[in-house]
Amino acid sequence: PINPYGETKLIGEWMMADCERAWGLRWAGLRYFNVAGSGWDDLGDMATLNLIPMVLDRLSRGQAPKIFGTDYPTPDGTCIRDYIHVRDLAVAHIAALDYLAGGGTMAEHVFNVGTGRGSSVREVVSKVIASTGLNIEPEELDRRAGDPPQLIGDAERIGRVLGWKADHDLDDIVTSAFTSWQADPNRKSFD
């Protein structure tokens, strides 16, 4: 792991493996990437802790979204991340539970839940801005400490073992996030 967050997830997997050895616990570890979007308008992510809700929040307040770091060794200079739609994540959980309930042997316990494709921060911010119909340029700031240039999930194992693959793309994620943001009566509209 490259950061404390990833380290805590790995420790959790070690603990599950210890429980398996000690008590025969059947388990699957799902490693999420950047979960975003909304399954339904009334279940949107309203916490401004992730990129898409942060951009929507700033835009709804008439402020420019922020991009941290434009000098990474990536095609457009911004970080690249694998975004996974929350509905795809839910289906991955069901696939893992079905596999465990069906008696499948778990030679491989840990699965990346991602698309295997990356989107740059600039690309995501641009799509969110476009979804609102606003014409605003993002503010470009220095890098944040600890941000790796690229994090993309290899979803080969989850496809092979659990038969799962992501069905939604970045456009679906942004559209669902925007419509759920608009549907929240506590949110300011976009002017």
Side-chain angles (χ1 to χ4, degrees), residues 36-88:
S38 175
W40 294 270
D41 285 348
D42 57 343
L43 293 177
D45 182 1
M46 296 305 145
T48 54
L49 303 173
N50 299 306
L51 180 59
I52 293 172
M54 284 177 173
V55 173
L56 289 169
D57 179 60
R58 292 192 63 81
L59 291 171
S60 70
R61 291 187 283 130
Q63 299 173 351
K66 295 180 179 182
I67 293 178
F68 293 95
T70 59
D71 61 346
Y72 287 94
T74 62
D76 71 9
T78 66
C79 293
I80 295 175
R81 298 291 183 264
D82 191 342
Y83 290 86
I84 184 74
H85 196 290
V86 67
R87 289 185 87 153
D88 286 330

Side-chain angles (χ1 to χ4, degrees), residues 138-159:
E139 181 182 356
E140 295 181 356
L141 302 168
D142 291 336
R143 291 181 181 194
R144 295 182 307 183
D147 276 344
Q150 180 171 296
L151 288 174
I152 298 173
D154 180 352
E156 182 276 330
R157 182 183 301 159
I158 195 169

Side-chain angles (χ1 to χ4, degrees), residues 97-130:
L97 290 170
D98 286 347
Y99 187 81
L100 290 170
T105 59
M106 296 295 287
E108 298 172 280
H109 291 281
V110 179
F111 305 95
N112 289 334
V113 183
T115 64
R117 294 179 305 278
S119 299
S120 74
V121 169
R122 186 177 307 283
E123 178 185 2
V124 174
V125 169
S126 294
K127 284 184 181 285
V128 174
I129 292 170

